Amino acid sequence: MSKQKRDAEATKAKIIENSMMLFSKNGFDATTVDEIANVSDVNKALIYYYFKNKAGLYEIVMNEVLSAIYTKVIEANKICKSPIDELEAFIKTYADFANKQPYFPALLLRELSDNGAHIPQMMFSSMRRLFKLLSEILQRGEKEGIFNNVIPMVIHFMIIGTVNLLVTTAPLRKKAAQMTDEINTCSDCPMDEISDYIFKKIKIMLEVK
Amino acid sequence: MSKQKRDAEATKAKIIENSMMLFSKNGFDATTVDEIANVSDVNKALIYYYFKNKAGLYEIVMNEVLSAIYTKVIEANKICKSPIDELEAFIKTYADFANKQPYFPALLLRELSDNGAHIPQMMFSSMRRLFKLLSEILQRGEKEGIFNNVIPMVIHFMIIGTVNLLVTTAPLRKKAAQMTDEINTCSDCPMDEISDYIFKKIKIMLEVK
DNA sequence: TAATTAACTAACTAGTTAGTTAATTATATA
DNA sequence: TATATAATTAACTAACTAGTTAGTTAATTA
């Protein structure tokens, strides 16, 4: 392997990586193409050479992230023996991913609160795949008499919503913890303890007594 | 009452009202001061005459919204007899407000996913008041032996997160319902039925068996 | 090694946006 | 009724930003 001065794939990957970081941190509008170029140490025009435009780059970034999480969730799902196992895997895999890729929940929340202004179609179907998986787990559980009174859409948002808020507010909560003594903002609970708590609570909530 | 050509208070209120609508719909960055001025039928400079700058206007708008919701929740809380009543009132009042003021959840999500970039301090303390109230309800319930194994921060985000996602995705879900037959996105469940479901499920989740 | 292509850049354009200035109009008050 | 003051505007600027163009340099191939 010769050390190359030019490596298109690596450059492209670098641009995507930095875009992901910046879009997640600052959102679509507040991220400038100039900024992406500077951070990535490439000329701005190169971004237009590789990607159609800013929205096109954004779409690729989102696609990459959403595919990654879907793959992980599916992977974790494969080795499960029961709907309860599957529910646990779903929650913990999602939480773990969101925690390790902490920009992702912010991106997702922002995009949802924009009504998918920037990437309507793709976003949409990616999120649907994830929801469909959980939906099937819950309905299977209900058929088997393990769960009862399930509204999958609400349970899905309960999981996604809770995890996303916990991850996105983590820095804010850390700051709050230093300021006040009275309120416990859970600022040093590790994510795997929290996700275990969420799973156990949702299990209680759904299980037939 | 004479019909005036000039009414500073009314003009100011009009600007705030339209700002709230636009900021909520499009976020801070994507809302332009020109747009606010046009919609409000005033000259842009008037906005700078009344408000320090764009961020100052945004802060006032946010303050107004957050105070309104806090007032409603406190009001509903007053007539409650038990922690379970209080929990029910908290969830349903918040959900009702979010549903009637459907831009608010989007604003909140966006602001949280920005780490409070635009209005750090005020936003912060407004959200804390709301959390403190729920926190006290839950801890009182735990002391009275009604609830068990409560982590208020997680329960708070479970409520806020679920409601916010349901409200912000409502138009998206409606669109999805037309496209596919297989997945039930809860697109025509009325909010008060959903908030009742959320309350009942969270009650089960927290109550001592 | 010459020709061709792929990777990359400097410098620009056209359009947008927050914020300002200096002037104008309406209203209250002396 | 004159005048001060509060409300409002037209017209501007400085800074920024998405996207383009015309060109350069490195790598590949004939």
Side-chain angles (χ1 to χ4, degrees):
Chain A
M1 274 280 156
S2 65
K3 222 185 213 170
Q4 282 181 306
K5 264 195 174 175
R6 294 181 173 191
D7 182 343
E9 283 313 304
T11 308
K12 224 161 144 178
K14 190 170 61 176
I15 293 169
I16 291 175
E17 171 106 13
N18 287 311
S19 303
M20 193 182 305
M21 187 260 289
L22 289 169
F23 279 138
S24 307
K25 206 161 73 179
N26 309 319
F28 182 81
D29 294 321
T31 301
T32 68
V33 179
D34 286 275
E35 200 182 0
I36 294 172
N38 285 337
V39 171
S40 305
D41 233 342
V42 297
N43 190 277
K44 179 163 69 154
L46 194 63
I47 292 172
Y48 289 90
Y49 174 69
Y50 284 127
F51 309 98
K52 196 178 156 234
N53 52 25
K54 190 183 176 185
L57 175 57
Y58 185 70
E59 184 162 346
I60 282 167
V61 165
M62 283 303 273
N63 219 340
E64 203 125 312
V65 173
L66 287 168
S67 294
I69 190 161
Y70 183 71
T71 305
K72 294 230 169 184
V73 172
I74 283 286
E75 206 61 37
N77 181 263
K78 274 183 191 153
I79 49 173
C80 292
K81 301 289 178 198
S82 73
I84 291 190
D85 270 10
E86 290 183 279
L87 178 66
E88 180 169 12
F90 185 93
I91 293 172
K92 293 187 175 176
T93 309
Y94 184 84
D96 184 62
F97 183 90
N99 194 49
K100 283 187 179 142
Q101 195 97 52
Y103 292 140
F104 164 70
L107 252 179
L108 188 65
L109 289 184
R110 209 188 309 257
E111 199 52 42
L112 288 176
S113 65
D114 267 4
N115 266 320
H118 307 300
I119 38 133
Q121 200 42 61
M122 182 279 300
M123 172 86 190
F124 203 68
S125 53
S126 275
M127 284 310 294
R128 258 193 43 208
R129 285 193 302 183
L130 213 59
F131 168 55
K132 200 179 168 196
L133 178 66
L134 180 70
S135 200
E136 282 162 2
I137 294 170
L138 296 173
Q139 279 163 353
R140 211 177 312 128
E142 206 165 15
K143 255 182 212 152
E144 293 180 21
I146 302 168
F147 298 144
N148 94 50
N149 190 18
V150 170
I151 303 181
M153 190 79 262
V154 178
I155 307 301
H156 186 248
F157 283 149
M158 208 170 260
I159 296 167
I160 305 293
T162 311
V163 170
N164 283 1
L165 283 186
L166 280 163
V167 172
T168 52
T169 60
L172 229 67
R173 276 160 35 224
K174 195 139 242 160
K175 215 168 65 184
Q178 296 165 346
M179 283 169 42
T180 79
D181 350 71
E182 9 155 23
I183 300 185
N184 176 21
T185 60
C186 259
S187 60
D188 3 74
C189 315
M191 182 41 100
D192 53 341
E193 271 176 38
I194 294 182
S195 64
D196 188 59
Y197 178 78
I198 295 172
F199 162 61
K200 280 178 181 148
K201 284 295 187 191
I202 290 186
K203 190 180 149 201
I204 292 170
M205 169 195 275
L206 294 179
E207 264 183 327
V208 175
K209 276 146 290 183
Chain B
M1 272 281 157
S2 64
K3 223 183 214 172
Q4 284 182 304
K5 264 194 176 175
R6 293 180 173 191
D7 182 342
E9 283 312 304
T11 308
K12 225 162 142 176
K14 189 171 61 176
I15 293 169
I16 291 176
E17 170 105 13
N18 287 311
S19 303
M20 193 183 306
M21 187 260 289
L22 289 169
F23 279 139
S24 306
K25 205 162 71 178
N26 308 321
F28 182 81
D29 293 321
T31 301
T32 69
V33 179
D34 287 276
E35 199 182 359
I36 294 171
N38 285 338
V39 171
S40 305
D41 233 342
V42 297
N43 190 277
K44 180 163 70 154
L46 195 62
I47 292 172
Y48 289 90
Y49 174 68
Y50 284 127
F51 310 98
K52 197 177 154 235
N53 52 26
K54 190 183 175 184
L57 174 58
Y58 185 70
E59 184 162 345
I60 282 168
V61 165
M62 283 304 272
N63 218 341
E64 204 125 312
V65 173
L66 286 168
S67 294
I69 189 161
Y70 183 71
T71 305
K72 294 229 169 186
V73 172
I74 283 286
E75 206 61 37
N77 181 264
K78 273 182 191 154
I79 50 171
C80 292
K81 301 289 178 199
S82 73
I84 291 190
D85 270 9
E86 291 184 279
L87 178 65
E88 182 169 10
F90 185 93
I91 293 172
K92 293 187 175 176
T93 309
Y94 184 84
D96 184 62
F97 183 90
N99 194 48
K100 282 185 181 144
Q101 194 96 52
Y103 293 140
F104 166 70
L107 253 180
L108 188 65
L109 290 184
R110 210 187 310 257
E111 199 52 45
L112 288 175
S113 65
D114 265 5
N115 266 318
H118 306 300
I119 38 133
Q121 200 44 58
M122 181 280 300
M123 173 86 191
F124 203 68
S125 53
S126 276
M127 284 310 294
R128 259 194 43 208
R129 286 193 302 182
L130 212 60
F131 169 54
K132 201 179 169 195
L133 177 66
L134 179 71
S135 200
E136 282 162 3
I137 293 169
L138 296 174
Q139 279 163 355
R140 211 176 312 127
E142 206 164 14
K143 254 180 212 151
E144 291 179 22
I146 301 168
F147 297 144
N148 93 50
N149 191 19
V150 171
I151 303 181
M153 189 78 262
V154 178
I155 307 302
H156 186 249
F157 283 149
M158 209 170 260
I159 296 166
I160 305 292
T162 311
V163 171
N164 283 0
L165 282 187
L166 280 164
V167 172
T168 53
T169 59
L172 229 67
R173 275 161 35 227
K174 195 139 243 159
K175 215 168 63 182
Q178 296 166 344
M179 285 170 42
T180 78
D181 351 68
E182 10 155 21
I183 301 183
N184 175 21
T185 60
C186 260
S187 59
D188 3 72
C189 318
M191 182 42 100
D192 54 340
E193 269 175 41
I194 294 182
S195 64
D196 189 59
Y197 178 78
I198 295 173
F199 161 62
K200 280 178 181 148
K201 284 296 188 191
I202 289 185
K203 189 180 151 205
I204 293 170
M205 172 195 272
L206 294 177
E207 264 183 327
V208 174
K209 275 147 294 186

